[in-house]
Amino acid sequence: MTLTAAPQTTTAFDLGPARALSCRECGHEIPLAAEFACPECFGPLEVAYDFDDVTRASIEAGPKSIWRYRRLLPVPSDVQIHPNTEPGLTRLIKADRLAQALGVRKLWVKDDTGNPTHSFKDRVVAVALAAARELGFTVLACPSTGNLANAVAAAASRAGWDSVVLIPSSLEQAKVLTTAVYEGTLLAVDGNYDDVNRLATELAAEHEDWAFVNVNVRPYYAEGSKTLGYEVAEQLGWRLPQQVVVPVASGSQLTKVDKGFTELGKLGLVEATPYRVFGAQATGCSPVSKAFAEGHDVVQPVRPDTIARSLAIGNPADGPYVLDAVRRTGGAVADVSDAEVVEGIRLLARTEGIFAETAGGVTVATARKLIAEGRLDPDARPCC
Amino acid sequence: MLLITGDGLKTLDAVAGEVGPSATVPASSKAVREALAARGL
């Protein structure tokens, strides 16, 4: 089944159902390769697919990891035989006590702290590593301020690859240790995340065998977030949630959860019922929320100043696509103060026994705000 | 069979003196290249 209208392209790579890279702006397609920008208009590229017949039964018979969805991902058909961190199939919790505290009828929490390095980044890195191996890379790399550094270093160790991770030297000691313990190359740079990102982009151009997961293999990496959407639907009994609240950093995760829901509906794996997507940001880094509130299509960059550091991307690459998704589905983007983030962390911990990072606090606090403002329906079936 | 019964996050102090960045460098391409070359990369 083809989900985008475009000419067929051929490829030498086995990346499962992936057919080509397609520009999100102009629709131009190129063969599968380690590219991230459209050669025609410099727009971002994403993976386009020709899906085979995928059934619920074939998925349910698969491994207890994201690889049960491998026929919906840009990964080789033999992805499971290579050592990897096997992320995914994390808990979906029916959060009755949190629902009561927030004043909603039903609430589920997707708890991705259960991944191997305790964040959803294990999903995207696993997909990036699998694609990178097929594309001929031999080193796994990234610029990062925390979760991604952990995930890349761990995935490389598990696979027996070298890793190169660039971090700002001001990073908290705990984040440095939880990456350094895997004993890849960890360079601390005396600069901010923008400096680190710039240096990574330069290195990606100089080292043909280095896969910078969020730079030169980003189109494949980003697809890993679709598995959050697939899992939520499968764990709900092959249904889509009526409302979903997703934290927004680059915005990629929200757009890919939306893409995953859409694909499941088009493939007949779920009934394509309406759903609304909501974005959550910290006020100290809320360029997408601001653009949404002001009715803009363009996101103006900001200088981040928030405790939610894993969401502190001042110039979010997928910001315009987040605005498209939330407006198309009837959702919204909102933001909360750092004090509200802390209260969100504590509320989730005391009601459901989950100690989340600050991004989790942003999600809970934003849901509370959206409910209070009447923008999130308390009688629907929401999922955070 | 080995049983791993808990995560290392709660005992970071055990490795704090043992592991750390490979190098700390200025935010320049030259410095990064030199640091990587020193590690054979």
Side-chain angles (χ1 to χ4, degrees), chain B residues 3-29:
Chain B
L3 300 187
I4 305 300
T5 56
D7 192 89
L9 280 176
K10 287 164 283 189
T11 54
L12 289 175
D13 53 325
V15 296
E18 305 293 324
V19 301
S22 312
T24 300
V25 297
S28 77
S29 306

Side-chain angles (χ1 to χ4, degrees), chain A residues 65-218:
Chain A
S65 71
I66 61 170
W67 305 133
R68 67 202 283 109
Y69 308 108
R70 69 166 178 77
R71 293 171 68 196
L72 302 172
L73 295 170
V75 297
S77 49
D78 65 350
V79 63
Q80 297 162 70
I81 70 170
H82 300 286
N84 69 89
T85 59
E86 301 173 66
L89 222 60
T90 54
R91 300 186 302 169
L92 184 71
I93 296 168
K94 189 165 182 292
D96 291 341
R97 282 169 45 78
L98 180 58
Q100 185 175 22
L102 294 178
V104 299
R105 190 168 61 86
K106 282 188 177 178
L107 178 66
W108 276 264
V109 170
K110 182 62 171 166
D111 179 13
D112 242 18
T113 66
N115 276 313
T117 66
H118 314 289
S119 87
F120 88 100
K121 291 293 188 184
D122 290 314
R123 298 174 182 273
V124 286
V125 168
V127 172
L129 172 62
R133 180 186 290 109
E134 180 66 17
L135 292 167
F137 293 98
T138 59
V139 174
L140 204 61
C142 71
S144 174
T145 59
N147 286 335
L148 184 57
N150 290 187
V152 162
S157 286
R158 174 74 180 131
W161 282 32
D162 288 333
S163 64
V164 176
V165 173
L166 275 62
I167 57 172
S169 59
S170 59
L171 203 59
E172 302 98 312
Q173 173 79 345
K175 288 182 180 175
V176 174
L177 290 175
T178 52
T179 300
V181 74
Y182 299 106
E183 298 195 21
T185 295
L186 176 61
L187 284 191
V189 176
D190 288 331
N192 58 27
Y193 181 72
D194 289 338
D195 295 319
V196 170
N197 204 31
R198 172 179 54 79
L199 291 165
T201 303
E202 290 177 15
L203 289 172
E206 295 170 9
H207 296 269
E208 290 186 350
D209 57 343
W210 291 14
F212 279 84
V213 296
N214 51 346
V215 182
N216 52 352
V217 292
R218 185 175 181 85

